[in-house]
Amino acid sequence: MGKKNGTTRIDRLRKGILAECVLILLLAVLVRSGSREPVTETGANAGALSIENDYIKWVDFTVSYEALCKAYEWDVDTHGTEHEICWVELLAYTAARTGGEFGKEALKVMDKAAKSLSEGEKTLEELTKDLKYYTYYLEAYEAAIGGLVGSYQEECVDGTGQVTYEEKYGLKGYFPLARGFDYNHYDDFGAGRSYGYKRRHLGHDMMGLVGTPIMAVESGVVTALGWNQYGGWRIGISSFDGKRYYYYAHLRQNYPYAEGLQEGSVVTAGDVIGYMGHTGYSAKENVNNIEVVHLHWGLQLIFDESQKEGNNEIWIDVYPLTRFLAKHTQAAVKVEGTKEWVRTTDIVDPKVEEYERGG
């Protein structure tokens, strides 16, 4: 009898626990459906999508080096044809199809779509009409890489020394170090940092030699220049559309910047803007407290004024992008009798001209 009563009590306890679990799950569903949480997707998109109050709140830039190269090739190869492909749109389509994954299968998806688009079998509207998150990825990727490919003019010098400018289309963003200077790097985005307070590393470090010329990745306006106790001598350059903020830190002691550079200066992609060093980690200016000589460069995305400074900042992993930019390097030559270096080949960027005209 006692055993039977004991069994009954256990059964009742199990049923009670099960009922509580079901109730908790129901409540969770109700809370979830009535909340104002950012839009999210399962799988790779979990934590990657974040849209609220009509602007993007977070971006995980997961585009691989291989995907950047392939999308870029499709863009350049179809430029000027009847069925041009925009690399940003192609990457956004692929991400919407794969949940932000860019492995081997994603590359097959990309190639299949690009082939269909280039042959006129499908339009982009047809391919994306049922993709819920295509517009999110398009806006996010346009913000991240939208200024790197386009038309420009490149300086050419013939055998007689005559200078002309040749029309070009392709990668007009540049690798952040001058051509021919040794460096090494690895993907260190998100690694821990402890100086001042515990925080994540929100940029990419490129180790090299003191004085290595630092090049502007994209044309833009210098919006920050001077000392920062974390970044040492640093430069901040904003793209003309205001979506990208490029941060270059730990520049050389005593001679960190290119001559004449100041806040408000307009720079063209590939210009020498400063020199590698190891300043920083000090409230006192011009101190070398960084152990390893390197350039820290970072890319911040801005969709709203509230994201420029503070807890809402969006920084993305630029390691794959750095590898991709190695396709387009700019040589620099030393100015005799000075510490200054200048680019060897000039370009004309229409975006610079448009900005200077007030457009």
Side-chain angles (χ1 to χ4, degrees):
M1 188 72 174
K3 183 176 180 181
K4 182 178 180 181
N5 288 339
T7 302
T8 301
R9 284 195 295 273
I10 291 172
D11 289 340
R12 287 174 179 170
L13 181 61
R14 286 173 176 167
K15 289 178 181 178
I17 292 172
L18 179 61
E20 286 184 8
C21 289
V22 172
L23 181 60
I24 290 170
L25 286 172
L26 287 172
L27 287 172
V29 171
L30 288 172
V31 170
R32 177 70 175 170
S33 63
S35 71
R36 292 174 56 84
E37 288 295 309
V39 178
T40 57
E41 230 178 35
T42 57
N45 280 343
L49 303 186
S50 184
I51 308 172
E52 190 179 3
N53 299 334
D54 298 325
Y55 65 89
I56 293 176
K57 293 293 185 69
W58 186 252
V59 175
D60 278 342
F61 189 74
T62 55
V63 183
S64 67
Y65 164 73
E66 292 78 11
L68 288 167
C69 292
K70 189 172 286 291
Y72 172 69
E73 287 168 6
W74 277 110
D75 187 310
V76 172
D77 289 346
T78 60
H79 178 68
T81 68
E82 183 181 357
H83 304 291
E84 291 186 336
I85 293 175
C86 168
W87 76 315
V88 178
E89 292 173 347
L90 184 58
L91 288 168
Y93 164 80
T94 305
R97 278 286 309 277
T98 65
E101 293 282 353
F102 281 95
K104 291 182 179 179
E105 290 304 313
L107 296 182
K108 291 179 182 178
V109 168
M110 180 188 295
D111 269 339
K112 182 178 179 181
K115 189 173 185 297
S116 180
L117 289 167
S118 66
E119 295 176 355
E121 295 175 357
K122 291 278 188 180
T123 65
L124 185 67
E125 290 73 20
E126 290 172 331
L127 287 177
T128 60
K129 65 179 181 179
D130 296 322
L131 294 178
K132 183 177 180 182
Y133 295 115
Y134 171 72
T135 54
Y136 161 80
Y137 281 114
L138 180 61
E139 184 177 356
Y141 291 177
E142 181 65 33
I145 59 175
L148 299 180
V149 171
S151 298
Y152 64 99
Q153 295 177 325
E154 186 175 66
E155 179 185 22
C156 299
V157 182
D158 65 19
T160 65
Q162 172 114 20
V163 176
T164 58
Y165 283 82
E166 181 182 352
E167 293 288 340
K168 296 269 190 174
Y169 177 85
L171 187 55
K172 63 177 183 178
Y174 283 88
F175 189 66
L177 304 182
R179 183 186 307 156
F181 285 81
D182 289 338
Y183 70 94
N184 62 75
H185 67 150
Y186 60 92
D187 194 352
D188 56 348
F189 187 81
R193 293 291 185 270
S194 59
Y195 173 77
Y197 60 96
K198 289 185 178 180
R199 64 197 189 282
R200 294 170 62 231
H201 185 231
L202 299 178
H204 181 61
D205 288 347
M206 304 182 70
M207 282 61 75
L209 300 174
V210 170
T212 297
I214 307 303
M215 322 302 277
V217 171
E218 183 184 347
S219 303
V221 182
V222 176
T223 51
L225 193 78
W227 183 263
N228 176 284
Q229 70 168 320
Y230 301 101
W233 294 123
R234 90 306 188 212
I235 303 169
I237 297 177
S238 297
S239 61
F240 295 129
D241 62 9
K243 294 178 181 178
R244 291 169 296 287
Y245 176 74
Y246 294 90
Y247 180 71
Y248 308 85
H250 308 310
L251 304 184
R252 180 171 59 184
Q253 188 181 48
N254 299 324
Y255 202 99
Y257 310 124
E259 185 178 355
L261 198 72
Q262 59 187 350
E263 286 192 30
S265 295
V266 175
V267 299
T268 299
D271 282 351
V272 176
I273 56 173
Y275 303 96
M276 187 183 294
H278 53 120
T279 59
Y281 283 14
S282 172
K284 183 180 178 181
E285 287 190 0
N286 206 32
V287 174
N288 283 331
N289 269 353
I290 303 294
E291 293 183 5
V292 178
V293 175
H294 70 278
L295 167 70
H296 166 110
W297 87 275
L299 179 53
Q300 180 187 7
L301 307 186
I302 300 170
F303 301 93
D304 184 79
E305 286 292 315
S306 65
Q307 296 173 321
K308 286 189 173 180
E309 294 185 15
N311 296 328
N312 296 324
E313 295 176 9
I314 301 173
W315 296 87
I316 63 172
D317 186 351
V318 294
Y319 175 67
L321 188 58
T322 305
R323 294 178 62 200
F324 173 71
L325 289 170
K327 291 175 173 291
H328 198 205
T329 60
Q330 172 62 252
V333 61
K334 197 170 189 299
V335 179
E336 189 175 350
T338 74
K339 294 184 177 180
E340 195 73 12
W341 291 71
V342 294
R343 67 188 299 158
T344 58
T345 305
D346 191 23
I347 70 165
V348 176
D349 185 349
K351 294 295 183 182
V352 173
E353 295 182 321
E354 181 182 337
Y355 177 81
E356 291 180 332
R357 287 195 306 265

